[in-house]
């Protein structure tokens, strides 16, 4: 009985499986019959519900190819036009450079200054032509003069002291240091690679090699900014084994640095007449003569001293000091003018200037309490030009050693006292 039930169960299972397969086959045939028919020319569909043939895509491909060919032709035409404009601009800049080389003192643009500049280079040269670096300027008074600030490799002596209240900026602010380093490097490039119009000749070293200047040969520099034109730089270089200085003038017309002038300066024969008006103050004069002996007689040796003394009191003491210096140092290049008048500094300077009758000389109007160095005397020679330019240095600070060193038994030597006062 159980065997018959088992056979019946197996048959029932296979019958159900067959019916399931039959239903699946019928459903598959129905789906095939219901699928949409396509002809032989049909291809890939584009959008849902639309059919595109082979001709459509061939036309689309041809249209894109024509578009890119037109674009390529336009780009080629633009490239050819840009090449032509670049060539014309290069020729124009070359012509302007030739005009610059012909111009006096290396200054370039010589065209009509009233005509608006047509390109950047022409505009920059026109800025130089209008600046005071190129031509003198008529000023209503001395207050209209734009002063220079001086700098060395390590220091900047600023007139506007700002919050520091100290004229010497050290260390130098990074942006200013980068600017001045660029200027010094540009000056070295001008010296080491001179143009035909530069007022200098190539010199040779002791072994016959070309003489090359470097940043260690930089002595000092000055710069000032005309707010509507640009910044002027005056740089001085000198090698220890050479007597001549190299002077380079650069100008930055709110653009790239441009050379204005490069020249060699020989100051070996330049004599300075130091004119000192004086009344009484014999102790200060004795201190002044000590500095004069150390700097002017022992180091510089190209100095004449003119003392204009007012009054009778103290005159014998001044004569004694001058005679003492004469006997010790065998120095006779001095003049003593005595005026029986009340002290007047302007009159004293005028009388001292008129007392010179030995030809052209550089006059240094000096006070008895000024302490200066040999480097300052050379700065006077480098920055003054007969009939064109005077050198007007600024004393940055004055103080009373009796107050500054009141907590010390004795003040330090005068060289250390007057560090801030020294003209360099």
């Amino acid at each position: 009985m159980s065997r018959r039930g088992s056979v019946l169960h197996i048959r029932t299972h296979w019958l159900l499986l067959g019916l399931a397969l039959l239903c699946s086959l019928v459903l598959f045939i129905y789906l095939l019959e219901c699928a949409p028919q396509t002809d032989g020319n049909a291809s890939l569909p584009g959008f849902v519900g639309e059919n595109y043939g082979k001709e459509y895509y061939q036309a689309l491909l041809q249209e894109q190819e024509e578009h890119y060919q037109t674009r390529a032709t336009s780009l080629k035409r633009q490239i050819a036009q840009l090449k032509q404009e670049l060539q014309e601009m290069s020729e124009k800049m070359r012509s302007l450079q030739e005009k610059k080389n012909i111009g006096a003192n290396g200054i370039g643009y010589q065209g009509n200054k009233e005509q608006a500049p047509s390109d950047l280079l022409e505009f920059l040269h026109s800025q130089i032509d209008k600046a005071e670096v190129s031509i003198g300027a008529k000023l209503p008074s001395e207050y209209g003069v734009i002063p220079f600030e001086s700098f060395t490799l390590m220091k900047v002596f600023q007139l506007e002291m700002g919050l520091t209240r100290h004229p010497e900026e050290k260390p130098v602010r990074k942006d200013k240091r980068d600017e001045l380093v660029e200027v010094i490097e540009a000056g070295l490039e001008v010296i080491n690679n001179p143009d035909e119009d530069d007022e200098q000749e190539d010199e040779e070293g002791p072994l016959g090699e070309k003489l090359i200047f470097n940043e260690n040969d930089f002595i000092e520099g000055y710069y000032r900014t005309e707010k509507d034109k640009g910044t002027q730089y005056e740089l001085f270089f000198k090698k220890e084994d050479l007597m001549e200085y190299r002077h380079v003038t650069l100008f930055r017309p709110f653009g790239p640095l441009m050379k204005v002038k490069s020249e060699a300066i020989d100051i070996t024969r330049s004599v300075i007449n130091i004119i000192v008006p004086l009344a009484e103050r014999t102790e200060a004069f004795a201190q002044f003569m000590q500095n004069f002996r150390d700097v002017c007689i022992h180091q510089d040796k190209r100095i004449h001293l003119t003392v204009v003394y007012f009054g009778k009191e103290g005159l014998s003491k001044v004569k004694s000091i001058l005679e003492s210096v004469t006997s010790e140092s065998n120095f006779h290049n001095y003049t003593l003018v005595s005026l029986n008048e009340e002290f007047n500094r302007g009159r004293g300077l005028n009388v001292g200037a008129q007392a010179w009758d030995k030809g052209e000389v550089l006059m240094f109007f000096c006070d008895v309490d000024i302490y200066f160095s040999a480097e300052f005397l050379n700065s006077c020679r480098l920055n003054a030009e007969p009939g064109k330019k005077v050198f007007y240095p600024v004393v940055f600070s004055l103080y009373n050693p009796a107050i500054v060193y009141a907590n010390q038994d004795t003040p330090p030597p005068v060289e250390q006292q007057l560090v801030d006062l020294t003209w360099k």
Side-chain angles (χ1 to χ4, degrees), residues 6-263:
S6 175
V7 172
L8 180 61
H9 178 72
I10 293 173
R11 289 179 179 177
T12 303
H13 175 76
W14 283 106
L15 180 62
L16 293 175
L17 182 61
L19 290 174
L21 291 174
L22 180 62
C23 291
S24 299
L25 180 63
V26 172
L27 180 61
F28 178 72
I29 294 173
Y30 173 77
L31 292 175
L32 291 176
E33 291 293 332
C34 292
Q37 299 296 323
T38 58
D39 55 12
N41 295 330
S43 184
L44 296 174
F47 297 99
V48 177
E50 297 182 2
N51 296 327
Y52 292 90
K54 181 178 180 181
E55 291 81 1
Y56 169 79
Y57 288 102
Q58 287 179 346
L60 182 63
L61 181 61
Q62 183 177 0
E63 180 182 353
Q64 292 294 328
E65 184 176 357
E66 292 176 354
H67 171 73
Y68 286 118
Q69 287 180 352
T70 303
R71 179 62 176 166
T73 303
S74 175
L75 290 174
K76 289 180 180 179
R77 184 171 59 253
Q78 294 180 26
I79 291 173
Q81 183 178 359
L82 289 173
K83 286 183 177 179
Q84 182 179 359
E85 293 178 357
L86 180 61
Q87 184 177 359
E88 293 176 355
M89 182 64 68
S90 299
E91 293 176 355
K92 192 171 185 179
M93 292 183 67
R94 189 181 304 111
S95 175
L96 290 173
Q97 184 66 27
E98 291 175 355
K99 292 181 180 180
K100 172 181 176 294
N101 293 334
I102 296 175
N105 294 330
I107 301 176
Y109 177 61
Q110 301 293 332
N112 183 6
K113 297 180 179 61
E114 297 180 356
Q115 183 179 0
S118 59
D119 56 30
L120 177 60
L121 185 60
E122 184 176 338
F123 171 71
L124 296 178
H125 282 300
S126 68
Q127 288 292 93
I128 296 178
D129 288 344
K130 293 183 293 185
E132 195 174 344
V133 66
S134 174
I135 57 176
K138 293 183 179 180
L139 303 175
S141 68
E142 66 272 19
Y143 300 104
V145 176
I146 302 175
F148 285 88
E149 295 187 352
S150 63
F151 64 95
T152 64
L153 284 176
M154 302 301 296
K155 303 177 184 178
V156 172
F157 298 93
Q158 51 191 358
L159 295 177
E160 298 295 335
M161 294 180 285
L163 298 177
T164 64
R165 307 307 303 166
H166 197 281
E168 179 183 303
E169 183 180 359
K170 182 183 179 183
V172 182
R173 214 172 56 230
K174 184 179 184 304
D175 58 336
K176 187 181 296 183
R177 183 176 68 250
D178 293 343
E179 172 195 353
L180 298 180
V181 167
E182 178 191 4
V183 170
I184 294 173
E185 291 177 350
L188 290 172
E189 178 67 21
V190 170
I191 295 176
N192 293 327
N193 301 282
D195 296 332
E196 295 180 357
D197 59 336
D198 290 340
E199 299 178 15
Q200 65 181 60
E201 297 180 356
D202 292 338
E203 295 194 22
E204 296 182 351
L207 301 179
E209 75 281 5
K210 180 182 178 182
L211 199 60
I212 300 297
F213 286 76
N214 56 53
E215 63 178 12
N216 295 325
D217 301 320
F218 176 68
I219 303 300
E220 61 182 353
Y222 305 92
Y223 70 95
R224 67 174 178 179
T225 301
E226 296 182 64
K227 295 182 179 179
D228 59 338
K229 298 178 181 68
T231 304
Q232 173 184 351
Y233 302 92
E234 303 288 341
L235 310 176
F236 296 93
F237 301 84
K238 183 182 182 300
K239 283 190 171 294
E240 293 183 359
D241 53 348
L242 293 181
M243 300 301 295
E244 290 184 339
Y245 286 78
R246 291 287 187 268
H247 174 215
V248 178
T249 301
L250 301 175
F251 195 79
R252 190 195 299 273
F254 303 116
L257 278 169
M258 307 185 74
K259 186 194 75 172
V260 177
K261 181 173 61 175
S262 176
E263 61 182 349

Side-chain angles (χ1 to χ4, degrees), residues 311-381:
K312 297 297 184 180
E313 185 178 353
L315 179 59
S316 59
K317 179 64 174 178
V318 169
K319 290 181 179 180
S320 175
I321 294 173
L322 288 172
E323 291 173 358
S324 175
V325 172
T326 300
S327 60
E328 291 177 4
S329 306
N330 193 24
F331 176 78
H332 301 283
N333 295 329
Y334 73 90
T335 301
L336 176 61
V337 180
S338 177
L339 297 177
N340 191 17
E341 304 174 10
E342 186 178 351
F343 179 80
N344 185 307
R345 185 176 184 273
R347 173 160 168 74
L349 296 176
N350 186 40
V351 170
Q354 292 179 356
W356 178 267
D357 57 358
K358 301 178 182 179
E360 187 176 277
V361 71
L362 176 61
M363 292 182 294
F364 171 27
F365 295 157
C366 184
D367 292 332
V368 71
D369 50 5
I370 291 295
Y371 179 86
F372 54 85
S373 64
E375 289 79 9
F376 168 73
L377 297 176
N378 286 333
S379 295
C380 292
R381 296 182 174 100

